[in-house]
Amino acid sequence: MKTHTQLISILAAAVVFSFSSFSISSFAETDSSRHNPSLPAVQTQGDTEFLTGGIGKDESDAILQEGKAWPLMLELAQAADPRAQYISDVQITVKDKSGNTVLDTSAEGPYILIKLPPGKYSLDAVYESVKLHRHLDIREGSHKKITLLWPAVK
């Protein structure tokens, strides 16, 4: 009788364990399904969140889709014949209106998504010693996509 009771206890524990494992893994799958595995990791510098990448079609498509929810998307390209070519290794510096650097990073692909609070900013982007400068006005609830196009190599 004692062996029978122990067996029932072991089976009950196994069922409870299996059910709890199923519930936890189901929750994890539901939670991770909201995150596209093709997206590069979100990085943080101070209070600024950003992600950079876009090498390969899956990653580019994921960034373009995700970018609609971010205040600022930068697209980086260089003029070429017959059409512009995407570039990476661009040094990006964003400063707030007081001149404080809120982001200083190197692009790991042709796209950068940046979460900035509403306000005025300056952007400097340097590629092969050529600097492009832009003034930014980030507004509450808006999305801004800026394409930075460097001149063709001569």
Side-chain angles (χ1 to χ4, degrees), residues 105-123:
T105 192
S106 181
E108 296 174 9
Y111 297 107
I112 299 182
L113 304 182
I114 308 170
K115 285 189 181 173
L116 294 169
K120 295 191 182 295
Y121 299 88
S122 67
L123 164 73

Side-chain angles (χ1 to χ4, degrees), residues 77-87 127-128 130 132 148-154:
Q78 184 173 39
D81 189 29
R83 62 182 176 169
Q85 300 292 313
Y86 286 125
I87 57 174
Y127 179 68
E128 296 183 346
V130 177
L132 300 181
L148 298 170
L149 182 64
W150 277 262
V153 177
K154 295 179 183 182

Side-chain angles (χ1 to χ4, degrees), residues 39-92:
L39 277 175
V42 174
Q43 302 174 55
T44 304
Q45 246 183 49
D47 294 333
T48 305
E49 290 184 348
F50 68 100
L51 68 81
T52 176
I55 305 297
K57 181 164 176 32
D58 289 346
E59 192 173 278
S60 290
D61 290 347
I63 291 173
L64 289 171
Q65 183 63 36
E66 178 73 12
K68 297 172 186 174
W70 289 62
L72 180 61
M73 173 190 277
L74 301 178
E75 181 180 51
L76 312 170
Q78 184 173 39
D81 189 29
R83 62 182 176 169
Q85 300 292 313
Y86 286 125
I87 57 174
S88 61
D89 300 321
V90 176
Q91 187 62 38
I92 302 292

Side-chain angles (χ1 to χ4, degrees), residues 18 27 58 61 65 79 81 95-96 99 109-110 112 122-123 129 136 138 141 143:
S18 296
F27 176 76
D58 289 346
D61 290 347
Q65 183 63 36
D81 189 29
K95 294 183 179 185
D96 65 16
I112 299 182
S122 67
L123 164 73
S129 302
L136 306 173
I138 304 297
H143 165 72

Side-chain angles (χ1 to χ4, degrees), residues 2-16:
K2 188 174 180 180
T3 306
H4 182 68
T5 304
Q6 286 176 332
L7 182 59
I8 290 174
S9 295
I10 292 170
L11 287 173
V15 168
V16 168

